[in-house]
Amino acid sequence: MLKYITPWRVLIALVFLTTAIIVFIRFYGGLGTVTNLSDQTPWGIWVGFDILAGVALAAGGFVMAATVYVFQIKRFKPLVRMAILTAMLGYILFIIGLVVEIGRPWNIFSIFYSPNIHSPLFEVALCVVTYTTVLVLEFSLVVFERLGWNRLVHFHHKVSVVLVVIGILLSTLHQSTLGTLFTLVPHKMHALWYSQIQPVHFFISCVAAGMGMVCFEAFLSYRFTKHPLPTGLMRTLIRVMSYVLVLFFIVRIGDLAVRGELWRVAEGKPAAMFWLENLLFVFIPVVMIYRKLPLTAKRLFIISFSVVLGLVMHRFNIAVSSFEFVKSTGYFPTWTEFMLSIALVMFGFVAAGLAVYFFPMHPKEPKSDRLAGRETYRIAWPVSE
Amino acid sequence: MAIKSKGLLIDITRCIGCDACSENCKAVNDLPPQVAPELDSDNWTVVYRREQEQYVRNLCRHCADPACVSACPVAALTKEESGAVLYDKDVCLGCRYCMTACAFRILTFEWFSYNPRIRKCVLCDARIKEGKSTGCAEACPTEATVFGDLDTLVKVAKARIADQPKKYHDYIYGLDEAGGTSVLYLTSVPFEKLGFDMTVPKYPLPQLTWQVLKQVPTIVGVGAAFLGGSYFLFKRRAAVAAAEEAAKSGKGDKGGGHA
């Protein structure tokens, strides 16, 4: 009995318990009881982190699905399941976070009977609901395999590409539309973060962040299963990601230049924030990839973690800091706000860990794959025919 | 019968800061009587005291093309015939995108309620339908706030500036802000000195999101064609490569298809 009690498990249990109490207080006394939100700062860390960053980091699901199923680059197949699993968990966490974040979650079905097609948030809501369903259906393959329902597995292989294509379209739409939300308030956001092509920025950055997250997840999967790290694939993925990161940076600087706001990158605190964000999201990863050092597992970990942190910071700056820079309200999240965000992340880790434990995430692979970690890593688990 | 779009003309030069508007607002809208210094869920209009005895009233501007209305995913906010922007709590999700969207930072939320609503001035829409004026305009002892048809008020405001160019600062705040609002302000002091946000864009804000959103059908169409086309193209290529490899080695590798 005692061997099940580890420091990590105790910590996780404490965090979940505290969060449960916080959520109870929030639903009993209102959002104001556990947050520092106000009429002047209606959106805080729960929007910036749980929602914007959470969705972007779940982009790995559609990026990997597109790579393997549409562009038929089958080498990456070992990474697809984990990517889809984390995307599914990510969206489920996002929905849990959303239910706590919005004031009247019991009216959530309004989006079906009182739609406003002029609202970008309506489009996001609709896409997220549909895409989460698609992800559950995509992931159902793994469940069918686990249960040995072979006819369903067979059927799934036949229709999976349709699911994948729908999933990619839905992702493209809502990932970019989350950026469209912020095109509505040109004068309320700092010019370093406001952009009329925000949807483009959001889409490019989510693709890179999704790749970084897939790489990061591989470490997580390794931690739980001791399954060898597909470092060869991860290296390739990280290299492709670096192109996307550079593209993101160029588009961003170009956009600032076109709008005549480029001088702001050297002005005060916002500029410092801008460069810190780019340091984590673009410079550290790109420089590490292009220095002629071998991309060891440790370096891959640093790179992917840096990208994840950078993305989180970018989204938080969009949702909170950029508004603060224009009209300061002194918003800083309460510890209770941080706690919910931490709990959601932990919940994701635990759920992913359990899924890796119970489901065939790395099926039909040679038991002792001494070649693992090299480009020759080839898997023969069910292909679509 | 159609009613013309109504509005309020607030002449800051006439305001004595008596708070009668705030008090009557509370009376006609059944809000708790204490007047607060800042807009909140129980205070839909407040009077700020600025330097040199200038009094500036703040309230929902009831924009002609409101950002909050376009932002709401569930159409809980609507622009009425009277010009009022109204809120329906029964469909509202409490997402507060309307608050983020509002160009004038007017909307408020019940932060300490388990069933919170968005709260703001309703331009006394129900009273307008009864043929009455708004609570604030009715209570104002100096006609600093006057109620009327919006087009008439614009003419009145322009006439006041034209008749007394020395008295009035030559600008009507609200005429162009956010593409035009139902609340117009006149002053003798430049607006920026009174704390007005002069950075508010002078065009309707919903067009910013709509010009992106209207691309959605195109993105879906082009995207679907691109993805479908790519799938068949790469699939074919992989099949050909596999067949060639099979022909070469004589014995096919079933797991093939890797690029």
Side-chain angles (χ1 to χ4, degrees):
Chain A
M1 184 60 205
L2 221 62
K3 69 173 181 169
Y4 292 111
I5 302 174
T6 64
W8 271 107
R9 286 178 188 171
V10 171
L11 180 73
I12 288 169
L14 282 176
V15 169
F16 285 176
L17 190 68
T18 318
T19 309
I21 296 168
I22 292 168
V23 170
F24 176 79
I25 296 171
R26 173 256 170 274
F27 277 106
Y28 188 78
L31 279 160
T33 50
V34 295
T35 68
N36 268 344
L37 297 174
S38 65
D39 292 332
Q40 295 304 310
T41 310
W43 282 357
I45 188 181
W46 290 352
V47 170
F49 180 74
D50 306 1
I51 293 178
L52 294 185
V55 167
L57 292 174
F62 91 89
V63 173
M64 296 317 295
T67 311
V68 172
Y69 292 104
V70 174
F71 302 113
Q72 306 276 323
I73 307 171
K74 301 258 152 136
R75 269 192 306 142
F76 284 101
K77 209 145 192 177
L79 296 176
V80 174
R81 283 195 176 189
M82 197 61 191
I84 288 176
L85 168 75
T86 35
M88 183 182 76
L89 290 175
Y91 278 86
I92 290 170
L93 288 177
F94 160 82
I95 290 170
I96 295 172
L98 192 76
V99 165
V100 180
E101 207 279 337
I102 64 176
R104 306 168 71 88
W106 30 89
N107 282 350
I108 194 78
F109 295 105
S110 300
I111 61 167
F112 298 117
Y113 64 81
S114 182
N116 173 17
I117 60 152
H118 286 265
S119 168
L121 200 54
F122 168 69
E123 197 209 293
V124 171
L126 211 57
C127 283
V128 165
V129 170
T130 330
Y131 185 50
T132 308
T133 316
V134 167
L135 280 170
V136 170
L137 290 175
E138 282 180 7
F139 187 72
S140 66
L141 170 65
V142 179
V143 181
F144 296 153
E145 273 182 13
R146 175 74 174 81
L147 297 171
W149 295 354
N150 290 325
R151 289 177 69 178
L152 276 173
V153 171
H154 198 72
F155 177 73
H156 198 288
H157 284 312
K158 280 189 177 155
V159 297
S160 59
V161 75
V162 179
L163 282 177
V164 166
V165 168
I166 294 172
I168 298 167
L169 289 173
L170 289 169
S171 295
T172 310
L173 288 182
H174 73 265
Q175 292 282 3
S176 56
T177 307
L178 278 171
T180 311
L181 290 185
F182 295 92
T183 60
L184 192 53
V185 283
H187 68 297
K188 290 174 80 174
M189 287 173 80
H190 190 276
L192 283 176
W193 287 275
Y194 178 79
S195 169
Q196 262 143 36
I197 58 160
Q198 197 72 272
V200 177
H201 296 310
F202 265 54
F203 184 72
I204 301 175
S205 55
C206 90
V207 170
M211 290 175 173
M213 193 64 189
V214 167
C215 194
F216 186 70
E217 284 150 16
F219 286 98
L220 188 68
S221 166
Y222 171 72
R223 171 85 175 71
F224 283 114
T225 62
K226 298 290 172 214
H227 187 275
L229 272 177
T231 34
L233 283 180
M234 285 157 71
R235 258 175 233 136
T236 318
L237 186 67
I238 284 292
R239 285 216 171 83
V240 178
M241 179 188 77
S242 71
Y243 298 129
V244 186
L245 289 174
V246 170
L247 176 71
F248 172 74
F249 187 70
I250 293 172
V251 170
R252 202 162 172 207
I253 292 291
D255 179 35
L256 283 171
V258 168
R259 285 185 291 122
E261 305 280 6
L262 198 55
W263 59 276
R264 288 185 195 266
V265 301
E267 189 206 38
K269 216 172 129 193
M273 199 65 125
F274 177 84
W275 289 114
L276 183 59
E277 179 187 304
N278 279 307
L279 180 74
L280 289 169
F281 192 52
V282 182
F283 301 142
I284 292 181
V286 171
V287 169
M288 280 184 75
I289 292 162
Y290 287 97
R291 277 184 59 189
K292 295 239 156 82
L293 294 169
L295 286 175
T296 56
K298 193 178 161 193
R299 291 202 180 95
L300 285 173
F301 182 81
I302 295 172
I303 292 169
S304 54
F305 192 58
S306 184
V307 165
V308 169
L309 274 186
L311 185 281
V312 167
M313 209 176 150
H314 175 254
R315 293 302 198 263
F316 180 77
N317 285 342
I318 294 268
V320 181
S321 320
S322 64
F323 288 83
E324 279 286 303
F325 287 138
V326 172
K327 189 169 192 258
S328 179
T329 60
Y331 169 79
F332 191 79
T334 56
W335 70 270
T336 43
E337 285 178 83
F338 280 117
M339 191 58 90
L340 178 80
S341 300
I342 293 168
L344 285 175
V345 173
M346 276 192 174
F347 189 80
F349 275 67
V350 171
L354 289 175
V356 169
Y357 188 78
F358 282 110
F359 293 111
M361 300 307 292
H362 304 277
K364 292 190 191 171
E365 283 170 42
K367 270 270 148 55
S368 62
D369 190 353
R370 294 206 163 261
L371 292 174
R374 304 211 192 126
E375 294 288 350
T376 47
Y377 197 82
R378 192 194 296 166
I379 305 298
W381 64 270
V383 231
S384 32
E385 58 208 309
Chain B
M1 197 187 73
I3 43 172
K4 280 177 104 174
S5 192
K6 306 293 180 194
L8 296 169
L9 174 59
I10 299 173
D11 190 333
I12 293 168
T13 64
R14 296 183 183 186
C15 183
I16 54 169
C18 68
D19 274 346
C21 48
S22 309
E23 282 159 15
N24 202 36
C25 173
K26 286 172 162 273
V28 302
N29 291 301
D30 289 326
L31 298 168
Q34 312 88 313
V35 175
E38 186 49 88
L39 293 177
D40 65 31
S41 50
D42 290 332
N43 290 273
W44 297 350
T45 182
V46 291
V47 180
Y48 302 129
R49 275 115 189 92
R50 303 286 192 225
E51 281 170 32
Q52 296 165 357
E53 294 192 30
Q54 298 287 325
Y55 303 101
V56 179
R57 188 150 92 82
N58 198 13
L59 72 163
C60 173
R61 313 298 164 83
H62 301 278
C63 307
D65 190 358
C68 58
V69 170
S70 87
C72 180
V74 292
L77 288 153
T78 46
K79 177 80 176 167
E80 301 294 312
E81 208 182 9
S82 64
V85 174
L86 296 187
Y87 166 74
D88 176 7
K89 68 173 177 16
D90 294 329
V91 291
C92 172
L93 307 178
C95 72
R96 313 186 299 287
Y97 183 32
C98 50
M99 301 176 73
T100 299
C102 177
F104 302 98
R105 302 177 169 90
I106 298 294
L107 280 73
T108 62
F109 186 73
E110 294 175 314
W111 293 102
F112 292 93
S113 163
Y114 67 91
N115 199 11
R117 294 165 294 179
I118 295 291
R119 305 287 269 165
K120 66 171 202 65
C121 162
V122 292
L123 199 64
C124 291
D125 184 66
R127 288 170 58 95
I128 291 177
K129 284 188 182 123
E130 292 169 17
K132 292 195 219 161
S133 116
T134 63
C136 54
E138 186 187 72
C140 184
T142 60
E143 292 195 330
T145 294
V146 287
F147 169 83
D149 292 339
L150 186 57
D151 49 3
T152 316
L153 293 178
V154 172
K155 280 179 206 148
V156 171
K158 284 180 175 164
R160 279 189 204 172
I161 294 176
D163 293 347
Q164 292 166 284
K166 286 216 176 110
K167 180 180 175 189
Y168 287 104
H169 176 59
D170 186 15
Y171 193 82
I172 304 170
Y173 192 92
L175 198 57
D176 298 319
E177 274 69 23
T181 68
S182 305
V183 179
L184 307 170
Y185 289 89
L186 285 177
T187 168
S188 53
V189 198
F191 281 102
E192 44 271 50
K193 288 189 181 162
L194 298 174
F196 281 81
D197 186 352
M198 303 313 287
T199 63
V200 175
K202 302 209 172 19
Y203 50 83
L205 294 157
Q207 71 190 37
L208 291 171
T209 43
W210 185 242
Q211 70 193 11
V212 185
L213 283 180
K214 70 180 181 193
Q215 310 290 339
V216 165
T218 320
I219 294 170
V220 172
V222 172
F226 170 70
L227 292 170
S230 301
Y231 172 68
F232 287 110
L233 181 74
F234 287 108
K235 183 107 188 141
R236 172 91 189 122
R237 189 189 275 180
V240 169
E244 275 171 5
E245 199 177 313
K248 218 185 280 172
S249 63
K251 222 165 96 185
D253 170 7
K254 270 204 168 167
H258 52 281

